[in-house]
Amino acid sequence: MQIQQSLAPQYRLLVFLVSIGFFMQGLDTTIINTALPAMAQSLEINPLQMHSVVISYVLAVAAFIPLSGWLADRFGIRHVYIAAIVIFSCSSLGCALSNNLNQLIGFRILQGVGGALLMPVGRLALLKLIPREQFLAAMSMMSLAGLIGPLIGPSLGGWLVQYTTWHWIFLINIPMGILGVFVSFKAMPNLRELKVKTFDFSGFILLMLAMVGLALGIEQIAVPNSSLSFSLTLFLVGGLASLYYVYHAHTHKNALFRSKLFKHQIYRIGVLGNFFIRLGSNAIPFLVPLMLQIAFHMEPLMAGIMMTPMVLGSLFSKPIIRPMIQKIGYRTFLIANSLLLGLCIASFALTAADTPFWLRTLHFFIFGILNSLQFVSMNTLTLKDLPQQDASSGNSFLSMIMMLSMSIGVALAGTLLNIFNGIFDGHETALAFQLAFVSLGFLNILSTWIFWKLPKNQMI
C-alpha cells in the first residue's frame, strides 16, 4: 500500500502493465519444473531427458536479450511490448497443443523470444516514462510481481499437474496476455528514438552461435542416438564463435558489447563470477522437483510446495545483505558465501525419501538464503563502479550472461544426471541425483577462486 501511495496515480497503470510481463516470465521460469515428469509421461519421453524443454526457453531468452533495446528504439516501446506479449501468449498455446517433444521445444524457443523482450522493454518503458523521483517506487512495485511468480510457480505447477493436466501450465498465460495487450494501448505510449544506430547483426549472430553451441554441446553429450563427435562439434563451434566475437568487439565500432567494457577489473570479475557460480545454483530448481518426484515418488503438488522455502529464504535474506557487506567487504563475503553455497548444493545429496519434513524445509530455506545473498551481492558488485556511458551495455551483457549460465547449468545438470544414471543402468536413480548434486557443489566451490582476485578494500 505504501508503494502505491508514493507512486503518482498516472503511472500506476503503466507499472501494472510492466508487472504483468514480469509476472508472466517469472511464473513461466518456475512453474514448468514441477510439471516435467507428467509432461514426460504424456509425451512418452524419459523424464531425465526433459531438460531440453527448460534449456530451449532460457537459451532463447539469453540469445535475444541484446536485440530488445534496439527493437524498442527502432519500432517504438508499445509496438515491441505488445509483440512480445503476443509472441509469448501464442507460443504458450502452441506448447499446450504440442504432441511430441520436438514441437514442444520449438514453441518453447518462440516463447523465449517473447520472454527476452518482455522484461527489458518493460524496464525501458519505466526508465523513459517515469520521473526519477518516482522510479524507485515503480521498480519496487514491479519487483513484487517478479517475486510472486517464483513464489507460487512450483506449487501452482504441481497443483495443475495433479488435479488437471500439464497443458494448463501454459494455457494460464493466455488470459494474462490478452489483458496485457489491452492495457498496453491505454497505458504505454509508443516512444521511439529519432536516430537509431545500425544494429550489429554480425555480432548478434556470433553471440547466438556461441551460446547455442556451448549449451547444446553440453546438453547433447548424454542424449540417446547423439554421437560424441556431434557434441564436440557443437562445443567447438560455440568456442570459435566466442573467440571471434572477442575480435569483433575490439574492431567493430557498433559492436553490441565493446571490448572496452571488460577493461573494468571489478566488472570483469563480477561477470566471470556470475557465470560460473550460477552453473550449480541455477540447476537446483530443475533438479530438486525431479528428484522428489522420480526418486522419492512424491506427489507433484507436494514437490511444488517443497520449493516454497527456497523463495521464502530469498525474501528473508534481503534486509541482511547490505549490513553484512558493509561489515566485512565484498571480497570476504563472496568467498565465504560461495563456499557455503557450494557445500549446501552438495548437501542435497544427503536428502532421502524419509528425510523429515521439517529438516527438508529448513535445508531448502537455508539454500534460498545463501543463493539470494550470492546473486544480489554479485550483481551489485559487478555494476556498481561502471561509468555512466557503459552502464546500459554492461547491464545488458550481465543479463545475457545470467540467462546463458542458467541454460548451461541446466544442460550440465541433465547431462550429469543421465551419465550417472547410465552407469547404474537406471537402477540407482536416487544415487544418480546425489552424485549430480555433489558434482555441482564441487564446481561451485572451485569457482570461489574468481573472487580471490577482488581487491580487499571493496566496500558498499
Side-chain angles (χ1 to χ4, degrees):
M1 182 64 69
Q2 186 176 5
I3 291 174
Q4 289 185 344
Q5 288 175 347
S6 62
L7 189 65
Q10 63 267 33
Y11 301 119
R12 291 177 188 170
L13 190 60
L14 173 64
V15 175
F16 172 72
L17 169 64
V18 175
S19 298
I20 291 175
F22 204 7
F23 174 79
M24 288 172 69
Q25 192 186 48
L27 181 68
D28 197 79
T29 304
T30 56
I31 196 173
I32 194 171
N33 292 323
T34 319
L36 289 175
M39 295 168 66
Q41 184 179 10
S42 174
L43 298 173
E44 299 180 351
I45 298 291
N46 184 341
L48 301 186
Q49 301 290 340
M50 290 295 288
H51 52 287
S52 55
V53 177
V54 179
I55 296 167
S56 55
Y57 173 82
V58 179
L59 196 55
V61 172
F64 282 88
I65 280 177
L67 191 58
S68 59
W70 183 85
L71 287 174
D73 290 342
R74 176 69 176 80
F75 298 103
I77 291 176
R78 184 174 65 196
H79 288 166
V80 175
Y81 195 75
I82 290 176
I85 294 177
V86 170
I87 292 171
F88 194 90
S89 302
C90 290
S91 56
S92 296
L93 178 61
C95 289
L97 298 177
S98 297
N99 295 316
N100 57 60
L101 183 61
N102 289 333
Q103 287 180 10
L104 181 58
I105 290 174
F107 283 114
R108 284 287 284 172
I109 292 171
L110 284 176
Q111 199 179 31
V113 173
L117 302 179
L118 271 176
M119 271 214 310
V121 175
R123 204 160 28 220
L124 183 63
L126 297 185
L127 191 62
K128 288 192 172 186
L129 295 170
I130 293 182
R132 286 293 170 269
E133 63 273 13
Q134 301 269 304
F135 188 70
L136 180 59
M139 289 298 293
S140 298
M141 184 176 174
M142 189 185 77
S143 298
L144 180 62
L147 288 173
I148 293 174
L151 182 63
I152 69 172
S155 301
L156 180 59
W159 184 87
L160 288 171
V161 166
Q162 191 163 325
Y163 294 104
T164 60
T165 68
W166 65 266
H167 307 83
W168 284 96
I169 69 171
F170 297 110
L171 292 174
I172 61 172
N173 289 327
I174 296 173
M176 288 188 290
I178 294 172
L179 175 64
V181 169
F182 279 109
V183 175
S184 295
F185 285 106
K186 182 173 178 60
M188 186 178 285
N190 193 44
L191 291 183
R192 55 187 294 183
E193 297 295 327
L194 297 177
K195 293 183 179 180
V196 181
K197 66 180 182 179
T198 304
F199 184 71
D200 178 22
F201 277 106
S202 56
F204 176 65
I205 297 299
L206 283 172
L207 285 174
M208 284 188 67
L209 286 174
M211 290 186 281
V212 171
L214 294 174
L216 294 190
I218 295 173
E219 190 261 347
Q220 288 289 314
I221 290 175
V223 172
N225 304 321
S226 178
S227 66
L228 180 61
S229 59
F230 178 63
S231 300
L232 292 176
T233 300
L234 285 172
F235 203 80
L236 181 62
V237 169
L240 291 175
S242 301
L243 291 174
Y244 190 67
Y245 185 82
V246 173
Y247 172 77
H248 176 85
H250 187 69
T251 58
H252 196 285
K253 64 177 182 179
N254 283 335
L256 287 168
F257 307 108
R258 295 298 306 275
S259 58
K260 66 174 185 176
L261 186 64
F262 307 101
K263 292 180 180 178
H264 306 289
Q265 181 196 20
I266 302 301
Y267 181 79
R268 191 168 62 245
I269 294 172
V271 166
L272 283 173
N274 262 282
F275 178 79
F276 285 103
I277 294 289
R278 287 175 181 270
L279 291 176
S281 54
N282 278 332
I284 299 304
F286 162 74
L287 279 179
V288 168
L290 277 182
M291 178 183 68
L292 294 178
Q293 294 178 76
I294 296 173
F296 301 156
H297 308 293
M298 190 176 287
E299 294 289 340
L301 177 57
M302 182 53 67
I305 291 173
M306 288 308 307
M307 300 299 291
T308 305
M310 292 187 183
V311 184
L312 295 178
S314 175
L315 294 174
F316 176 81
S317 72
K318 301 302 182 187
I320 64 175
I321 297 175
R322 185 178 181 87
M324 292 177 70
I325 297 177
Q326 283 179 325
K327 186 173 181 63
I328 63 176
Y330 276 105
R331 184 178 184 272
T332 303
F333 178 83
L334 283 169
I335 290 172
N337 198 75
S338 298
L339 289 170
L340 290 173
L341 182 59
L343 291 171
C344 189
I345 291 171
S347 69
F348 279 108
L350 301 176
T351 190
D354 58 353
T355 299
F357 177 82
W358 69 267
L359 183 57
R360 202 192 305 273
T361 301
L362 179 62
H363 190 184
F364 291 177
F365 182 76
I366 292 172
F367 171 78
I369 293 174
L370 294 173
N371 201 37
S372 179
L373 290 174
Q374 188 74 28
F375 286 4
V376 174
S377 57
M378 286 193 305
N379 293 351
T380 307
L381 170 73
T382 304
L383 298 174
K384 74 182 187 73
D385 292 332
L386 273 184
Q388 186 63 34
Q389 64 270 23
D390 294 330
S392 177
S393 177
N395 184 56
S396 295
F397 187 79
L398 177 61
S399 298
M400 186 187 74
I401 286 296
M402 287 159 54
M403 298 306 292
L404 175 63
S405 177
M406 183 184 296
S407 63
I408 293 180
V410 173
L412 180 61
T415 297
L416 288 171
L417 189 57
N418 280 283
I419 289 174
F420 292 133
N421 197 52
I423 291 173
F424 303 117
D425 294 323
H427 300 305
E428 296 288 345
T429 304
L431 181 57
F433 275 102
Q434 292 165 352
L435 291 174
F437 284 123
V438 170
S439 301
L440 292 171
F442 183 66
L443 175 63
N444 212 91
I445 292 171
L446 284 180
S447 302
T448 304
W449 70 270
I450 295 171
F451 299 115
W452 284 95
K453 299 178 180 294
L454 283 172
K456 294 183 179 181
N457 60 348
Q458 280 296 309
M459 309 292 287
I460 289 181

